[in-house]
Amino acid sequence: MCGIVGAVSQKDIVPILIEGLKRLEYRGYDSCGVAVHQDGQLRRARSTSRVAELQTLAAQDGVAAGTGIAHTRWATHGVPAVHNAHPHFSYGPGVEAPQGPGRVALVHNGIIENHDELRAELKGRGYVFLSQTDTEVIAHLVDLLYQGDLLEAVQQAVGRLKGAYAIAVFHRDEPHRVIGAREGSPLVLGVGRDEHAGAFFLASDAMALAGVTDQIVYLEEGDVVDLQLGRYWITERGEATGRFQNVERAVRTVHAHSGAAELGPYRHYMQKEIFEQPVAIANTLDAVVDITPELFGDGAYRVFKDIDNVLILACGTSYYAGSTAKYWLESIAKIPTSVEIASEYRYRDSVPNPRTLVVTISQSGETADTLAALKHARSLGMLHTLTVCNVATSAMVRECAMAFITRAGAEIGVASTKAFTTQLVGLFLLTLALAQTRGHLTEAQEAEHLKALRHLPVAVQAVLALEPQVIAWSEEFARKENALFLGRGLHYPIALEGALKLKEISYIHAEAYPAGELKHGPLALVTAQMPVVTVAPNDTLLEKLKSNMQEVRARGGELFVFADGDTRIESEAGLHVIRMPEHYGALSPILHVVTLQLLAYHTACARGTDVDKPRNLAKSVTVE
């Protein structure tokens, strides 16, 4: 969601800015733009199409310079339109484009909560607003405060902002200078070397700078950074004085993966990533020799001995991973567990317990709602924090005391697949480590669980071989506009995830229920036009599930069942069955969800939707 790239260099940096935006395209956006300091003036190109069109526009208009910023926008304030696209200019009070040259150019990720009051103040001072965005407020505010030093103007401006932001800004009167600042939204500094020696870069994600530099500085909350030719410095506001002072931040070598990975034989990144799951799971398990709390960081054993409950905070697909883990944690580790939607957690009164292990789950590690929920939990005195995350250098990993890094690799498709299954692997390992620490895991049980984990890549590969059967189902689903998903116990969250995947990428309305809840309302929806997808593992709830399926059939509903081989559920009129290769006990959700991913993917293909970039959605949700 919302990508930033900026640079100061002796060379033309427009190709780097454009390439950086391309690397961030997978996150989702509805407009894009680039602005440069060229021949003493501010110039820009903006588009509501793809970055490729922006590249063409910039070339046609001759946009080229050594100082510039670029942006991909996912709309929050104002509709997707060129006048709302970034970068935004300030032309000074009383001046409306194109009557005067721009003075300030600015891009912004995040949301400014007090933009209405700032807008009213700036209008009173004569500033003309050309967009509906909260971002334009920042550009005018920087212009208002500018007295010949852009760093000072930005430092004053951010002191008046409430909300979350990452910004990059430059001024007409100061060529070869870009200022960046962050609070609640990620921003990194790239240090150029070799052919880019003396150049410096800003980006919302190190991936945008892959191939340009691997020397990365992760800016911290409240940092303001000043980029000039051959030098940079970072400032933070002193707690005692309230004044900004210089501060050192470590330069790390980061080998970021490019978002432009090759598709190979696959039609979409989502399909590629579904089929990468055996390798992703194997990589995630690669360093696991035995079950030990130290898999999650130094000091984990002491923390695991001290806690008496677990609180999981997550959003979207990660929330469903946490919901699955709740069953594991309570049945295997015997520890009370609650799972909270991160965007709701900090806005309600809760009862804090300092002996809680707070677990956050995030693919990107930059999810704004989850980061905010984590900070809220810490403010309540719950300091034992752990994250399951796919990005080792992310804010989530830096903010948590402990971490388990999944090894899914770069996930380009907006709809998460391999990140989800590797999250489940990480959470199952956490379950086993807690069970061991609390005395609920024998050596024989540990060996059995490890054996099952080691076999997972092979088991998932066997599930992927079911793709031709799923494709046949998808052609039927593509003609529907609604669907129900059913699961029981451990597989209810998997039904939720299956419904989410279908609606995310095919735009079919889908809901999921615990199968036992059908008779309490949802059964009213069942007709021959409402396919009912059922996850049917051979577990202790199978007979109950079969009764729920009969309720559907008695109302003329059509069932599509993913069943374990020994469930004795046979295909017949109105009942379609795909048999799973094997029953997998506690790890069964990881296998069953793969079939639901395939169903959603091929249904979306049959409907002709944009699978990797579904409408209105973004990959990394960095605004609240």
Side-chain angles (χ1 to χ4, degrees):
M1 175 181 290
C2 292
I4 288 175
V5 191
V8 173
S9 174
Q10 292 280 15
K11 303 176 181 178
D12 175 24
I13 44 78
V14 172
I16 291 175
L17 300 181
I18 295 293
E19 183 61 29
L21 294 187
K22 288 181 178 180
R23 295 183 189 279
L24 299 178
E25 277 192 290
Y26 74 98
R27 290 173 174 250
Y29 65 103
D30 45 52
S31 63
C32 51
V34 59
V36 298
H37 193 293
Q38 185 174 359
D39 301 326
Q41 301 292 326
L42 307 189
R43 300 190 63 189
R44 68 181 170 188
R46 298 184 291 177
S47 172
T48 55
S49 185
R50 294 299 182 193
V51 174
E53 180 181 289
L54 176 67
Q55 184 176 21
T56 300
L57 290 174
Q60 290 175 346
D61 293 344
V63 177
T67 299
I69 53 179
H71 192 264
T72 51
R73 174 180 185 256
W74 184 80
T76 54
H77 297 70
V79 299
V82 170
H83 68 275
N84 285 325
H86 299 213
H88 286 284
F89 283 1
S90 177
Y91 296 86
V95 180
E96 181 174 349
Q99 297 174 353
R103 304 202 304 197
V104 170
L106 182 141
V107 293
H108 161 232
N109 289 353
I111 291 178
I112 304 304
E113 296 173 356
N114 60 334
H115 70 96
D116 281 336
E117 60 188 76
L118 289 172
R119 182 184 292 261
E121 176 189 338
L122 290 161
K123 282 185 174 180
R125 292 176 175 268
Y127 284 90
V128 178
F129 283 80
L130 304 175
S131 77
Q132 290 81 48
T133 68
D134 53 341
T135 300
E136 192 178 4
V137 168
I138 315 175
H140 290 322
L141 183 60
V142 170
D143 182 82
L144 174 68
L145 297 171
Y146 184 75
Q147 298 292 326
D149 188 319
L150 185 58
L151 177 62
E152 290 183 3
V154 173
Q155 289 172 337
Q156 293 177 46
V158 298
R160 299 197 56 192
L161 302 179
K162 296 178 182 178
Y165 57 81
I167 63 174
V169 55
F170 65 90
H171 196 282
R172 182 190 63 195
D173 295 343
E174 297 189 65
H176 303 302
R177 192 181 198 187
V178 171
I179 307 296
R182 66 150 300 197
E183 182 73 49
S185 290
L187 192 67
V188 304
L189 161 69
V191 180
R193 61 180 189 174
D194 299 330
E195 72 267 31
H196 299 297
F200 297 101
F201 307 89
L202 286 175
S204 51
D205 189 318
M207 180 183 287
L209 303 179
V212 176
T213 181
D214 59 1
Q215 299 300 290
I216 302 295
V217 178
Y218 288 90
L219 301 176
E220 298 186 8
E221 293 288 270
D223 282 355
V224 179
V225 59
D226 188 342
L227 277 61
Q228 299 186 34
L229 282 177
R231 60 177 182 167
Y232 75 89
W233 54 88
I234 301 168
T235 64
E236 67 173 1
R237 194 185 301 275
E239 292 184 6
T241 65
R243 297 177 180 175
F244 278 90
Q245 56 197 25
N246 290 349
V247 63
E248 295 291 329
R249 300 284 185 237
V251 180
R252 305 184 188 185
T253 300
V254 176
H255 300 292
H257 294 282
S258 168
E262 292 297 324
L263 271 174
Y266 301 101
R267 291 177 62 187
H268 301 95
Y269 285 110
M270 183 179 178
Q271 184 187 30
K272 177 175 182 282
E273 287 153 10
I274 289 172
F275 277 82
E276 285 176 341
Q277 286 176 113
V279 172
I281 291 170
N283 289 343
T284 297
L285 291 167
D286 186 56
V288 180
V289 177
D290 52 21
I291 302 302
T292 169
E294 278 62 43
L295 288 170
F296 301 89
D298 295 338
Y301 177 80
R302 177 187 56 79
V303 172
F304 289 2
K305 290 289 285 186
D306 184 55
I307 62 166
D308 60 19
N309 74 104
V310 175
L311 168 63
I312 297 175
L313 303 172
C315 299
T317 286
S318 295
Y319 172 75
Y320 297 144
S323 299
T324 305
K326 174 182 170 70
Y327 287 89
W328 289 333
L329 287 161
E330 294 195 339
S331 66
I332 299 173
K334 312 297 183 187
I335 186 166
T337 301
S338 57
V339 187
E340 297 266 3
I341 296 172
S343 59
E344 291 291 322
Y345 169 66
R346 69 184 178 122
Y347 295 113
R348 71 173 186 84
D349 293 329
S350 58
V351 182
N353 177 356
R355 297 187 65 188
T356 297
L357 176 63
V358 179
V359 178
T360 64
I361 311 170
S362 172
Q363 188 284 133
S364 68
E366 305 291 350
T367 309
D369 287 318
T370 308
L371 283 167
L374 169 65
K375 292 175 183 177
H376 178 65
R378 285 204 313 239
S379 75
L380 297 176
M382 295 185 287
L383 304 181
H384 300 314
T385 57
L386 183 154
T387 189
V388 176
C389 183
N390 192 42
V391 182
T393 55
S394 65
M396 201 76 70
V397 174
R398 297 196 302 274
E399 293 285 342
C400 285
M402 297 172 286
F404 181 84
I405 307 302
T406 58
R407 300 287 187 259
E411 189 178 64
I412 307 302
V414 165
S416 181
T417 52
K418 62 178 180 174
F420 178 72
T421 49
T422 52
Q423 284 172 352
L424 289 176
V425 169
L427 291 164
F428 192 75
L429 288 169
L430 175 62
T431 298
L432 298 181
L434 283 168
Q436 181 192 76
T437 305
R438 296 167 61 83
H440 297 300
L441 188 69
T442 67
E443 288 187 10
Q445 289 170 330
E446 177 181 336
E448 191 64 28
H449 285 309
L450 278 172
K451 180 181 178 182
L453 283 167
R454 299 290 182 208
H455 183 60
L456 258 182
V458 174
V460 171
Q461 195 68 54
V463 173
L464 291 169
L466 299 174
E467 186 180 36
Q469 297 177 58
V470 177
I471 291 173
W473 280 12
S474 70
E475 293 170 0
E476 177 73 16
F477 271 74
R479 297 191 290 269
K480 307 297 184 183
E481 293 301 327
N482 302 279
L484 287 178
F485 285 69
L486 303 179
R488 295 207 72 152
L490 186 62
H491 294 80
Y492 167 49
I494 298 307
L496 286 166
E497 171 65 6
L500 176 63
K501 283 290 161 286
L502 188 67
K503 58 188 153 191
E504 274 184 310
I505 61 172
S506 75
Y507 314 145
I508 293 172
H509 170 246
E511 296 185 62
Y513 292 93
E517 284 295 292
L518 265 182
K519 54 187 174 292
H520 297 293
L523 203 55
L525 297 172
V526 172
T527 69
Q529 296 304 310
M530 174 73 82
V532 180
V533 181
T534 307
V535 181
N538 189 9
D539 58 17
T540 57
L541 288 170
L542 178 62
E543 295 307 317
K544 297 289 186 184
L545 182 63
K546 286 181 178 179
S547 296
N548 303 139
M549 291 165 56
Q550 290 302 321
E551 293 168 1
V552 172
R553 297 196 68 195
R555 274 75 181 179
E558 192 165 9
L559 284 159
F560 294 81
V561 183
F562 291 103
D564 286 348
D566 49 1
T567 55
R568 297 189 304 279
I569 301 173
E570 303 295 336
S571 295
E572 54 185 277
L575 175 59
H576 313 277
V577 180
I578 290 179
R579 297 202 176 280
M580 303 291 287
E582 58 185 305
H583 176 55
Y584 221 62
L587 292 170
S588 172
I590 297 176
L591 301 190
H592 274 276
V593 79
V594 174
T595 61
L596 301 182
Q597 293 169 352
L598 288 169
L599 179 62
Y601 171 73
H602 285 291
T603 301
C605 288
R607 289 169 68 96
T609 62
D610 191 344
V611 172
D612 287 331
K613 301 183 181 73
R615 67 188 182 204
N616 303 331
L617 299 182
K619 181 64 178 174
S620 179
V621 185
T622 56
V623 297
E624 187 179 353

